[in-house]
């Protein structure tokens, strides 16, 4: 339960997605009254029925508990609160320009409700300078707040990026260290006092722009390392070298840790965040840009390899194992596996058998295609001519190699080597 001296009695969480909903549930569990706001009526209805609309370990039970005791309520409109925690998408537009529309809309919606002394936290991953820009948008709509002293005096604002792994979100929201970037030092201190209610890791204080770039830098670092592994896999293939053995041997060096290659990079962070750095400093980010080009080009390399294998058959059945962007989750956002499957499905002479154990139905961009079927792993292994392993889900790791003997295998994750 929250401390008796806590000044935070209510939180309005704007955006109830993969981060917003678990965050809302954890604060509600601590004893704070939490109002969840989302524009999706179906999402709101599902949550108010005590269920999570996303797949995440232990989230359903937590939601059921905090809904039943009334500490979490969801609606399609925001309400007045002591804290506004914004966790909405930040995709990019054409030419990889950041799209801040969702954040602007969130500020538009909460602006009439903000009181003097309130705290606004932007958790969304954003380009450097966005938190300051958010305050500018708010004060345009609320000149009375600006007249009363603006951010740091009339109200407080900070950026606190999430750093969690799907499948472990509830654990890592509590255990991981957090970076808290305030517009002022007082803003950062106030935000820290909020997060310390649920966070057991250390909270590191800085300014908002440094916090913004820190999150982007973390994911750009990972993207660059993945790109190196993927490029190495292409080189090894050209030279007829087993890339898995190559990496295993290279990693015997005490200061080398090459990652495993894959079919590309997906998800809402690593495939997107580096472009925010590029947009902010295009002339000084050639390495980051190159890594993005390498990783974005991997799906087409895999597609070509699968098509070459399928050319051996008159009307091939191709099993695509996995649609999610990483193992053991249901998240298909920016998934290279989904990109590969969609491209193969566009070939009318291919029959595509999709195996994704974490979903119950195909996404809309596949369900309307006649030659695509969502099927079981057992059926796919039995009937497919070509098996493309695109995601290293746990059930796929357990497949007996005896079931693969008469198949053409494209193993993009190296789990059957």
């Amino acid at each position: 339960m929250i401390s008796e001296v806590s000044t935070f009695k209510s939180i309005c969480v704007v955006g109830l997605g993969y981060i917003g909903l678990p965050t809302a549930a954890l604060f509600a569990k601590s004893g704070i009254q939490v109002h969840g706001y989302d524009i999706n009526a179906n999402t709101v209805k599902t949550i108010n029925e005590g269920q999570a609309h996303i797949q995440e370990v232990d989230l359903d039970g937590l939601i059921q508990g905090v809904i039943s005791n009334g500490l979490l309520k969801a609606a399609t409109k925001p309400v007045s609160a002591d804290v506004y925690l914004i966790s909405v998408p930040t995709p990019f537009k054409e030419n990889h320009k950041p799209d801040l529309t969702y954040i602007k809309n969130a500020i538009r919606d909460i602006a009439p409700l903000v009181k003097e002394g309130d705290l606004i936290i932007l958790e969304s991953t954003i380009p450097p300078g966005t938190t300051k820009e958010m305050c500018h948008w708010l004060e345009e709509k609320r000149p009375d707040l600006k007249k009363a002293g603006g951010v740091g005096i009339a109200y407080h604002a900070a950026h606190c990026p999430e750093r969690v792994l799907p499948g472990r979100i509830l654990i890592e929201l509590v255990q991981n260290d957090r970076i808290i970037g305030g517009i002022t030092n007082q803003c950062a201190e106030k935000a820290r006092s909020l997060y310390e209610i649920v966070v057991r890791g250390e909270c590191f204080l800085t300014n908002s722009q440094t916090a913004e770039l820190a999150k982007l830098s973390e994911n750009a670092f990972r993207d660059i390392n993945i790109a190196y592994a993927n490029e190495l896999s292409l080189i090894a293939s050209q030279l007829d070298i087993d890339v898995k053995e190559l990496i295993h041997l290279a990693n015997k060096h005490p200061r080398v840790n090459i990652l495993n290659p894959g079919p590309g990079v997906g998800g809402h962070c690593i495939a997107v965040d580096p472009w925010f750095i590029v947009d902010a400093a295009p002339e000084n980010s050639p390495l980051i840009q190159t890594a993005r080009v390498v990783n974005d080009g991997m799906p087409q390399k895999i597609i070509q390899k699968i098509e070459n294998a399928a050319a051996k058959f008159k009307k091939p059945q191709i099993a695509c194992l996995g649609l999610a962007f990483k193992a053991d989750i249901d998240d298909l956002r920016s998934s290279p596996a989904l990109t590969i499957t969609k491209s193969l499905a566009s070939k009318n002479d291919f029959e595509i058998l999709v195996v994704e154990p974490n979903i119950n139905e195909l996404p809309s961009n596949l369900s309307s295609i006649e030659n695509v079927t969502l099927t079981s792993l057992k059926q796919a292994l039995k009937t497919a001519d070509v098996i493309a392993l695109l995601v290293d889900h746990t059930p796929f790791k357990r497949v007996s190699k005896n079931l693969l003997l008469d198949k053409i295998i494209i193993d993009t994750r190296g789990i059957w080597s």
Side-chain angles (χ1 to χ4, degrees):
M1 298 295 289
I2 61 176
S3 166
E4 292 182 1
V5 298
S6 173
T7 59
F8 305 109
K9 306 301 181 185
S10 59
I11 300 175
C12 179
V13 177
V14 182
L16 298 174
Y18 284 87
I19 301 301
L21 180 57
T23 301
L26 283 173
F27 276 113
K29 182 184 178 183
S30 77
I32 298 178
Q33 182 64 54
V34 179
H35 178 90
Y37 162 46
D38 199 283
I39 61 174
N40 189 313
N42 289 331
T43 293
V44 168
K45 180 176 181 292
T46 300
I47 294 169
N48 284 332
E49 290 172 349
Q51 300 173 7
H53 64 99
I54 56 176
Q55 179 177 314
E56 181 58 39
V57 177
D58 296 331
L59 184 58
D60 271 320
L62 179 56
I63 295 297
Q64 186 176 13
V66 293
I67 287 291
S68 64
N69 65 20
L71 284 171
L72 174 62
K73 298 178 181 178
T76 53
K77 291 184 178 180
V79 300
S80 178
D82 300 326
V83 180
Y84 297 90
L85 198 156
I86 300 172
S87 183
V88 295
T90 47
F92 49 69
K93 300 178 284 190
E94 291 183 5
N95 298 319
H96 302 111
K97 299 289 290 183
D99 184 356
L100 304 180
T101 303
Y102 292 96
I103 297 174
K104 287 183 178 180
N105 290 344
I107 294 302
R108 176 201 64 196
D109 294 344
I110 68 170
L113 306 172
V114 177
K115 312 178 298 297
E116 287 193 32
D118 285 352
L119 170 63
I120 304 172
I121 294 179
L122 188 52
E123 279 206 351
S124 305
T125 305
I126 48 178
T130 303
T131 308
K132 288 184 178 179
E133 188 70 9
M134 175 191 74
C135 296
H136 175 70
W137 298 332
L138 176 63
E139 292 177 15
E140 278 187 333
K141 295 183 178 297
R142 291 288 304 277
D144 57 307
L145 291 175
K146 184 175 182 180
K147 187 176 180 181
V151 63
I153 299 175
Y155 67 98
H156 300 86
H159 174 55
C160 183
E162 50 79 18
R163 307 153 103 188
V164 294
L165 186 68
R168 289 177 49 86
I169 290 178
L170 290 176
I171 295 172
E172 297 200 354
L173 282 176
V174 173
Q175 294 183 354
N176 286 4
D177 295 340
R178 299 297 291 255
I179 298 174
I180 298 175
I183 296 294
T184 66
N185 291 337
Q186 187 178 2
C187 290
E189 291 284 359
K190 186 157 187 173
R192 175 166 63 182
S193 66
L194 173 72
Y195 281 99
E196 285 181 340
I197 295 171
V198 295
V199 173
R200 298 293 169 262
E202 189 171 351
C203 294
F204 295 93
L205 304 190
T206 183
N207 60 66
S208 60
Q209 281 189 271
T210 302
E212 290 162 345
L213 186 56
K215 173 59 186 292
L216 302 178
S217 300
E218 293 165 7
N219 285 328
F221 173 84
R222 296 169 67 195
D223 193 43
I224 290 168
N225 281 272
I226 294 168
Y228 177 68
N230 284 338
E231 188 169 278
L232 199 59
S233 74
L234 299 176
I235 295 168
S237 178
Q238 180 181 336
L239 300 177
D240 196 24
I241 293 170
D242 182 342
V243 69
K244 189 170 184 179
E245 180 186 8
L246 172 68
I247 291 174
H248 173 72
L249 294 173
N251 283 346
K252 294 298 182 182
H253 189 291
R255 288 171 294 281
V256 172
N257 184 26
I258 304 171
L259 303 178
N260 291 321
V265 172
H268 62 295
C269 288
I270 301 179
V272 177
D273 296 357
W275 290 118
F276 293 170
I277 300 178
V278 172
D279 183 72
E283 294 181 358
N284 291 317
S285 55
L287 178 61
I288 295 172
Q289 295 178 55
T290 300
R292 281 282 72 235
V293 171
V294 170
N295 286 332
D296 281 349
M298 286 303 295
Q300 189 55 48
K301 303 284 188 182
I302 302 301
I303 290 166
Q304 188 60 58
K305 186 177 290 188
I306 296 171
E307 289 180 348
N308 290 342
K312 298 179 173 67
F313 305 91
K314 187 174 182 180
K315 190 171 178 60
Q317 288 190 322
I318 303 173
C320 293
L321 305 193
L323 290 181
F325 81 83
K326 62 173 296 180
D328 300 328
I329 62 172
D330 66 343
D331 194 342
L332 310 186
R333 290 176 293 176
S334 302
S335 171
L338 182 56
T339 298
I340 292 166
T341 304
K342 285 168 57 180
S343 178
L344 295 172
S346 67
K347 309 290 184 179
N348 293 329
D349 53 342
F350 290 175
E351 182 179 348
I352 307 300
L353 306 175
V354 175
V355 181
E356 176 46 75
N358 298 296
I359 63 173
N360 296 318
E361 59 184 20
L362 288 170
S364 58
N365 52 12
L366 286 179
S367 60
S368 59
I369 305 176
E370 291 184 1
N371 59 324
V372 180
T373 304
L374 182 65
T375 188
S376 67
L377 177 59
K378 181 179 179 180
Q379 184 63 31
L381 294 176
K382 179 180 178 181
T383 63
D385 303 303
V386 179
I387 298 175
L389 189 139
L390 305 176
V391 187
D392 49 342
H393 289 315
T394 297
F396 303 159
K397 296 178 181 178
R398 297 170 178 160
V399 170
S400 169
K401 292 184 179 179
N402 292 332
L403 299 175
L404 308 174
L405 294 178
D406 61 341
K407 311 293 183 180
I408 297 180
I409 306 298
I410 309 295
D411 181 1
T412 70
R413 298 291 180 174
I415 67 173
W416 291 338
S417 299

